[in-house]
Amino acid sequence: MFDPLLLALIMVSIAAGFFLGYRQRRQSQRQRQEGSLNSEYFVGLNYLLNEQTDEAIESFIKALEINADTIDTYIVLGRLFRRRGEIEKAIQAHQDLLARPSLTHEQSLRVQLELAHDYIKAGLLDRGESLLEDMLKTPWSGADESVQLLLSVYEQEKEWQKAIDVIHQAQGVDSHLYQHQLAHYHCELAEAALEGNDVLTARKNLRLAFARDRDNVRATLILGSLECSLKSYRESARVLQRIYQQNPLFISESIPLLERCFEALWSSRGLSVYLGKCLREYPSAAVVLASARLIARQQGDKEAGRFIAEQIVKRPSLKGLNALIDLNIENTEGRPRQNLMLLRELTGRLLESKPVYRCTQCGFDGKTLHWRCPRCHQWGTTEPIMGIEGE
Ligand SMILES: [Zn+2]
């Protein structure tokens, strides 16, 4: 619903804008070009409009069309058109502005950045890409925003090497601020190489990923999986256990591979020691269930059931409960068995309906571990969900 208070605020802001615009036109030519008063005013309006309604934007666009004589006005007008999906109008507003001979170099770059946003929103990725690449040949105040926009294009196109190169080559950009992102780009290249069975290229990119971010769990999981597939089980187990220090939330992701490695090494003792350590410091359903499987092999189902029951009391878990019911179904007959199967179906369905991973930035959740969040597009912000319905 339209908020009368918001409308009042916008109308007061527009009135203030006309007043400032009137005063500014009477000031010197230099001040008019810099548009310093308007900058502040339009930044404020942009902020106000974050909670806007369509009607409010429309009235604002009309107000700006009448008063469109400064660079800031044109930029805000173009942004509003873009926000409403009227990309052609946005492109027109920004191209008109670019044609002005009075623009300084910095102002021209600011308008080009807006134009690049328009092209990308319109799906004209190639045009946006080449505009941004040209803009990054010289240092300027908007270099970081330009790099981030260009990276979003390369990410859509899965051009990981180009993304890496632009971070290193862009003028006026500190590549150290992008280390975390760079590590993920190298992981993408490593995964692509492994799909083509190019182990050397994969290893090279994993080394580079660790050089950028030594605690990158994704690179650790890829390397652990690679070593395991090459039957280097001891090395794989060594690599995967690093997750304990890197980010214990991801221990659960490494458990299936670790079980495979220790089994191949005939080392129940090695697995038992590691799981025991995890259980003490960073307990999760995956660790409890892997421990229970180990106990079942060594001491039988009854002991494994006792262990799970003990753990569920300490730390309630739907996955643990399911495993406990499964063990009891195996050793029960007749009516009690049927009842247990019914209960198991219900708890299974309950677990099935729950997400497994969640982004810590925007809350996007689902059953797939996305290293780049599909909603907020941040890298490495999605984690396994802990607690009774998760790990
Ligand atoms: Zn997110």
Side-chain angles (χ1 to χ4, degrees):
M1 283 296 292
F2 193 82
D3 184 348
L5 179 62
L6 179 63
L7 176 64
L9 277 170
I10 289 172
M11 295 322 287
V12 167
S13 303
I14 289 169
F18 280 129
F19 174 66
L20 290 175
Y22 173 75
R23 273 187 54 187
Q24 196 182 28
R25 277 193 293 278
R26 294 175 71 87
Q27 285 169 356
S28 69
Q29 178 69 23
R30 185 172 155 271
Q31 276 181 316
R32 196 160 65 232
Q33 282 179 345
E34 286 174 354
S36 58
L37 278 174
N38 267 357
S39 294
E40 225 170 290
Y41 159 58
F42 282 111
V43 166
L45 274 188
N46 263 341
Y47 186 68
L48 179 68
L49 281 163
N50 278 339
E51 295 296 327
Q52 87 305 51
T53 65
D54 274 358
E55 294 89 336
I57 287 185
E58 194 158 357
S59 60
F60 193 39
I61 284 175
K62 279 178 191 158
L64 286 174
E65 277 174 333
I66 300 164
N67 192 34
D69 62 346
T70 68
I71 293 162
D72 292 308
T73 319
Y74 254 96
I75 286 179
V76 173
L77 184 61
R79 275 185 195 166
L80 288 173
F81 281 136
R82 188 165 72 227
R83 197 160 174 160
R84 275 166 57 107
E86 295 178 63
I87 310 293
E88 280 183 20
K89 283 188 182 175
I91 291 174
Q92 192 61 54
H94 292 135
Q95 280 178 340
D96 287 351
L97 195 52
L98 260 189
R100 290 189 184 186
S102 59
L103 287 187
T104 64
H105 182 60
E106 179 82 10
Q107 285 170 334
S108 167
L109 287 169
R110 274 181 59 207
V111 180
Q112 286 179 58
L113 180 56
E114 292 298 322
L115 202 51
H117 274 289
D118 299 338
Y119 288 148
I120 291 162
K121 182 90 185 274
L124 304 168
L125 298 187
D126 286 354
R127 290 179 78 171
E129 190 181 320
S130 64
L131 192 59
L132 289 164
E133 282 168 351
D134 285 344
M135 288 164 64
L136 287 165
K137 286 177 183 163
T138 49
W140 73 292
S141 63
D144 268 305
E145 193 187 339
S146 310
V147 163
Q148 279 163 23
L149 187 59
L150 188 51
L151 289 176
S152 76
V153 174
Y154 290 148
E155 286 173 5
Q156 281 184 63
E157 295 172 332
K158 300 194 184 300
E159 292 279 9
W160 309 116
Q161 191 58 54
K162 278 189 176 181
I164 292 165
D165 293 343
V166 79
I167 290 173
H168 291 303
Q169 290 162 10
Q171 294 297 310
V173 168
D174 181 2
S175 65
H176 289 96
L177 299 174
Y178 294 85
Q179 300 292 62
H180 181 67
Q181 221 159 319
L182 279 167
H184 278 282
Y185 293 153
H186 283 295
C187 285
E188 291 286 347
L189 287 173
E191 282 178 343
L194 286 176
E195 272 177 33
N197 292 318
D198 184 352
V199 174
L200 277 181
T201 304
R203 282 194 188 283
K204 188 185 102 186
N205 277 290
L206 290 173
R207 270 198 302 275
L208 289 165
F210 286 125
R212 301 295 167 217
D213 176 10
R214 61 197 293 267
D215 288 334
N216 189 292
V217 171
R218 181 185 184 185
T220 304
L221 286 167
I222 299 171
L223 184 58
S225 171
L226 171 62
E227 299 295 2
C228 189
S229 70
L230 297 172
K231 300 191 176 166
S232 307
Y233 300 116
R234 201 170 298 281
E235 180 59 11
S236 173
R238 190 190 68 78
V239 166
L240 290 168
Q241 288 177 72
R242 284 190 346 218
I243 293 177
Y244 182 89
Q245 261 102 34
Q246 290 178 325
N247 187 347
L249 281 174
F250 284 83
I251 289 173
S252 55
E253 295 300 307
S254 64
I255 295 293
L257 270 173
L258 276 171
E259 283 185 293
R260 227 179 105 190
C261 292
F262 280 114
E263 198 173 328
L265 291 167
W266 293 82
S267 176
S268 321
R269 169 92 186 127
L271 182 61
S272 172
V273 168
Y274 182 63
L275 290 175
K277 192 167 83 164
C278 294
L279 205 57
R280 279 192 301 278
E281 299 298 326
Y282 308 113
S284 66
V287 170
V288 168
L289 297 185
S291 304
R293 283 190 287 272
L294 202 58
I295 293 170
R297 278 207 301 277
Q298 293 171 336
Q299 302 169 52
D301 286 356
K302 202 173 166 190
E303 198 54 34
R306 198 190 57 75
F307 169 78
I308 296 175
E310 200 182 277
Q311 293 298 321
I312 290 178
V313 171
K314 282 191 205 162
R315 196 174 169 277
S317 149
L318 203 49
K319 283 183 183 173
L321 179 63
N322 279 348
L324 189 59
I325 298 171
D326 285 341
L327 280 173
N328 281 291
I329 287 174
E330 294 293 314
N331 303 301
T332 315
E333 289 176 351
R335 187 60 182 249
R337 183 183 166 91
Q338 282 177 359
N339 288 342
L340 276 177
M341 286 172 76
L342 185 65
L343 180 64
R344 178 64 179 84
E345 198 189 324
L346 289 172
T347 54
R349 270 197 223 163
L350 183 61
L351 197 59
E352 195 58 35
S353 67
K354 301 294 174 191
V356 181
Y357 303 99
R358 181 170 292 131
C359 173
T360 53
Q361 293 294 305
C362 74
F364 179 87
D365 58 23
K367 292 201 175 291
T368 309
L369 173 55
H370 294 284
W371 294 107
R372 178 181 181 256
C373 173
R375 188 193 283 158
C376 71
H377 303 154
Q378 298 290 305
W379 288 94
T381 52
T382 300
E383 293 174 347
I385 296 173
M386 305 304 280
I388 191 164
E389 293 169 348
E391 281 299 330

